[in-house]
Amino acid sequence: MRDELELDAVGLHVLHNGLANIAAEMALVMMKTSYSTIFNEGLDFSTVLLDARGNLIAEKNYTPSMMGAIPNTVRWTLEEFGEEFFSPGDVVVHNDPYRGQCHIPEHMMMKPVFSGGKLVAFAGAIGHVAEVGGKAPGSFASDATDVFQEGLRLPPVKLIEGGEYNEQIWRIVLANHRTPNNTWGDFHAMIGALNVGERRVLRLMERYGADTVTKGADLLIDFSERRLRAEIADLPDGSYDAEMQVEDDGVGTDPFTVKVSVVIRGDEVIADFTGSSPQVRGPMNCTFVVALSATYNAIFCVTDPDAQIPRNSGCYRPVRIIAPPGSVVNVVYPGPSVGGNTDLQPKLIDLTLAALSKAVPERVAASSGGSSSNLLFGGTHPETGRYYSNYHFDGMGAGGTMSSDGNDAEVTRHSNCRNTPIEVFEHRYPLLTLEYGMAANSGGAGAHRGGLATHRTMRVTAPEITFSALFDRSSIPPMGLFGGEPATGSELLVKRKGETEFRPFDEVFGLASPTKFTNVVLHDGDEIRYRTPGGGGFGPPADRDRNAVVDDVADGYVTVEEAARAYGLEITAESGIDEQ
């Protein structure tokens, strides 16, 4: 017997919880059944439900960097092929950055949900597949000059058609990925999540009726739009500008510029990136949806930081962007973009928040570390004889705010991922972790200091491993806000076996960049050491609570020398304070 659900405030709350729980269960399936650490440990994916038009209706958003891509990938497919392209039992995969995706590693899978022969919804799963081919193990070539060097690009194609495997597509994909076993497992984890989403949506429709669920989803979208517009309307109208330099594109050594003008007009926001540099030769460009995700992220930070508004397409309607095609914020074919999603997107969030600091200083943070500190490696495992590849990232510092210090060891504000435990890391890969911790003095000094970066040293325990890296903010550090000091930037060093000192990679291998390189081979006994960027400080260091400085020194977050330099405090052996 069908339950009646009145679509009033209580009924919509019940429906929202039901849809959100479906998305959360889908995410649990992906986490528990995937093969790669980037999914089952890092949680670099999101699971979603969308309506038949591609509008987001519910999500388990582990990774906010994907916000812009999630609805656009489905809409692009609908616009390109039409609704008739989809049949019951289909699973479509799509990672094309020129058709609404973030970058080549991000794969969106979508499964149409049919009720009574009618398309009523989509179940979706989007995630960073750890190895998709291209010129470098881990599919992250920091010196790529076109999309073809970044990996296998798939337009919307059916992995499963009418419930049957499309074996020819599978053969193409698995032949082009360096770790096909992991791809097979991760793709099936995504498919399993879609199957769960489909079953649960149909069960929800059986319980309440398909018309009630679809109408309720529309009302939830309208509700979220009204709520976010009301929050935006509370912001002061005006045009607020900011500009930032990014140190290089991975190929050359010249910096490039990103600019934004954030216009708040009544209950809507327009972020205009006109004036940003033309797209660069290397992979630090971002796609349109990446710039869109960054803008959404910044706007949500100042309007709804506790995520009280249901996250669906209604939240996106009051926010628009202008991102000129052919610029670094809207790459055009065949420009590369793998680093734009991981390392330009967090800077665009910082840039947009810097602009908004002129309107609502109490709601923003100083610059975050702003780099995912991407470390890629691959080779043949000496114990198994099998090829492996991994995409590794680590925590950085978040910027201080008017009310608190920045978070320590946070894996970028746009990714929200987890680190991989050392025990899992060493079990999977021939690298021995010698040290891992938070880097003292790495957060910018301020009334509220920036969060601390992380540092790690690893030793190669295989005959050879091929490394690539894309670290940013090594020469242009994260900036403070309102008198706060900049943070310490990133650093990436190597020590060859038999040597006593760590040295920059460019010095040892003759590279153009010390922190961006592709396919550098290290051997058994070589060691690699890195430090991620810290977060910028907020407010003048002289305004920091003196006891907080003492606590920082006691905790090892700030050294005695740094306390004296930045805060004018001499910390005695008895933890007393002498003002300089």
Side-chain angles (χ1 to χ4, degrees):
M1 183 176 177
R2 181 171 293 172
D3 294 340
E4 293 295 326
L5 184 68
E6 294 292 331
L7 295 179
D8 54 13
V10 174
L12 288 176
H13 189 74
V14 170
L15 180 60
H16 167 66
N17 285 344
L19 293 169
N21 285 339
I22 294 171
E25 185 180 358
M26 293 166 63
L28 187 64
V29 169
M30 269 195 70
M31 180 180 71
K32 293 293 187 181
T33 62
S34 55
Y35 283 24
S36 297
T37 55
I38 196 171
F39 282 174
N40 52 46
E41 296 291 346
L43 303 183
D44 196 354
F45 67 86
S46 296
T47 49
V48 297
L49 298 174
L50 307 101
D51 67 18
R53 294 157 293 173
N55 295 311
L56 178 68
I57 56 177
E59 65 177 13
K60 182 59 178 179
N61 192 342
Y62 282 131
T63 311
S65 65
M66 302 168 181
M67 283 189 288
I70 287 167
N72 279 295
T73 48
V74 178
R75 287 176 186 159
W76 242 279
T77 305
L78 284 166
E79 289 179 11
E80 185 169 354
F81 297 106
E83 185 177 313
E84 61 275 10
F85 174 69
F86 295 97
S87 299
D90 288 351
V91 173
V92 175
V93 65
H94 162 21
N95 75 329
D96 191 343
Y98 312 111
R99 285 182 170 94
Q101 261 291 12
C102 301
H103 61 176
I104 284 288
E106 231 85 302
H107 284 59
M108 176 72 173
M109 286 195 192
M110 58 195 91
K111 183 171 189 178
V113 179
F114 286 84
S115 176
K118 179 182 177 183
L119 177 65
V120 292
F122 288 93
I126 183 171
H128 184 122
V129 178
E131 165 48 56
V132 297
K135 69 180 290 186
S139 310
F140 219 97
S142 61
D143 61 352
T145 55
D146 62 43
V147 69
F148 305 106
Q149 298 172 349
E150 297 185 313
L152 179 65
R153 180 165 62 107
L154 296 171
V157 292
K158 294 183 180 181
L159 278 177
I160 297 178
E161 189 166 7
E164 301 293 330
Y165 282 87
N166 189 338
E167 292 190 9
Q168 301 308 312
I169 298 296
W170 282 91
R171 287 167 65 87
I172 291 170
V173 170
L174 298 179
N176 281 276
H177 291 194
R178 289 179 177 85
T179 53
N181 187 61
N182 280 5
T183 296
W184 189 94
D186 291 341
F187 273 22
H188 278 83
M190 298 174 82
I191 292 167
L194 300 184
N195 291 339
V196 167
E198 178 189 36
R199 289 199 301 270
R200 297 290 186 263
V201 168
L202 290 176
R203 186 174 298 175
L204 194 69
M205 290 183 170
E206 289 172 5
R207 181 177 180 181
Y208 297 124
D211 289 342
T212 297
V213 172
T214 54
K215 182 181 178 182
D218 288 342
L219 292 174
L220 283 168
I221 290 173
D222 291 342
F223 170 78
S224 293
E225 179 182 3
R226 290 195 304 274
R227 283 284 309 275
L228 192 66
R229 286 191 183 277
E231 295 293 338
I232 293 171
D234 283 342
L235 304 177
D237 281 1
S239 180
Y240 307 99
D241 302 334
E243 181 176 333
M244 179 185 293
Q245 292 284 298
V246 181
E247 56 198 34
D248 61 63
D249 68 350
V251 174
T253 57
D254 295 330
F256 61 89
T257 302
V258 283
K259 296 181 179 181
V260 72
S261 179
V262 179
V263 178
I264 301 172
R265 186 171 59 197
D267 62 358
E268 67 175 0
V269 174
I270 301 171
D272 185 356
F273 292 95
T274 301
S276 297
S277 292
Q279 74 181 53
V280 291
R281 189 161 180 253
M284 288 292 288
N285 305 294
C286 70
T287 63
F288 176 82
V289 298
V290 167
L292 200 57
S293 293
T295 305
Y296 292 153
N297 194 315
I299 297 303
F300 294 161
C301 282
V302 301
T303 57
D304 185 34
D306 297 323
Q308 295 299 303
I309 301 173
R311 290 289 188 262
N312 55 45
S313 283
C315 294
Y316 304 152
R317 289 175 178 171
V319 182
R320 292 184 289 157
I321 74 166
I322 300 170
S327 69
V328 291
V329 293
N330 190 356
V331 65
V332 297
Y333 177 88
S337 60
V338 70
N341 189 45
T342 63
D343 277 59
L344 187 55
Q345 182 173 169
K347 295 178 186 63
L348 295 181
I349 298 171
D350 287 342
L351 179 72
T352 306
L353 289 174
L356 289 167
S357 72
K358 301 168 184 178
V360 281
E362 72 282 2
R363 300 191 187 188
V364 303
S367 288
S368 68
S371 174
S372 296
S373 304
N374 311 280
L375 185 66
L376 302 305
F377 56 86
T380 301
H381 202 292
E383 295 181 3
T384 65
R386 298 183 66 177
Y387 193 88
Y388 66 89
S389 178
N390 187 50
Y391 168 48
H392 177 71
F393 43 73
D394 227 322
M396 44 125 234
T401 72
M402 184 174 285
S403 60
S404 65
D405 295 340
N407 292 336
D408 304 315
E410 180 180 270
V411 184
T412 62
R413 70 171 78 224
H414 77 303
S415 70
N416 201 34
C417 296
R418 306 189 307 192
N419 68 341
T420 299
I422 290 174
E423 295 82 359
V424 174
F425 188 86
E426 292 184 346
H427 176 72
R428 292 283 193 102
Y429 312 114
L431 285 164
L432 177 66
T433 300
L434 303 178
E435 62 169 352
Y436 182 37
M438 293 190 292
N441 302 333
S442 55
H448 290 108
R449 64 162 175 80
L452 300 184
T454 57
H455 64 89
R456 190 189 296 240
T457 303
M458 299 180 290
R459 179 180 296 150
V460 175
T461 60
E464 67 175 45
I465 299 178
T466 301
F467 283 89
S468 300
L470 197 155
F471 282 51
D472 206 64
R473 281 192 165 153
S474 63
S475 62
I476 302 178
M479 298 307 296
L481 199 59
F482 299 119
E485 293 188 1
T488 300
S490 63
E491 184 178 60
L492 187 56
L493 305 172
V494 63
K495 184 174 73 173
R496 308 308 299 271
K497 184 177 182 180
E499 296 182 352
T500 59
E501 300 291 332
F502 282 92
R503 294 184 289 159
F505 271 81
D506 58 336
E507 178 183 318
V508 176
F509 294 101
L511 306 169
S513 168
T515 57
K516 297 183 181 73
F517 53 81
T518 303
N519 292 340
V520 169
V521 178
L522 298 184
H523 298 92
D524 191 7
D526 292 344
E527 295 179 9
I528 185 169
R529 174 180 290 170
Y530 64 78
R531 182 189 65 232
T532 63
F538 191 105
D543 292 347
R544 185 164 180 77
D545 184 284
R546 308 291 91 177
N547 291 322
V549 180
V550 174
D551 290 342
D552 281 346
V553 172
D555 291 335
Y557 297 163
V558 173
T559 62
V560 170
E561 295 77 13
E562 177 67 3
R565 183 205 68 80
Y567 300 105
L569 294 183
E570 291 288 351
I571 310 296
T572 68
E574 294 79 22
S575 296
I577 302 175
D578 290 334
E579 301 277 355
Q580 284 190 338

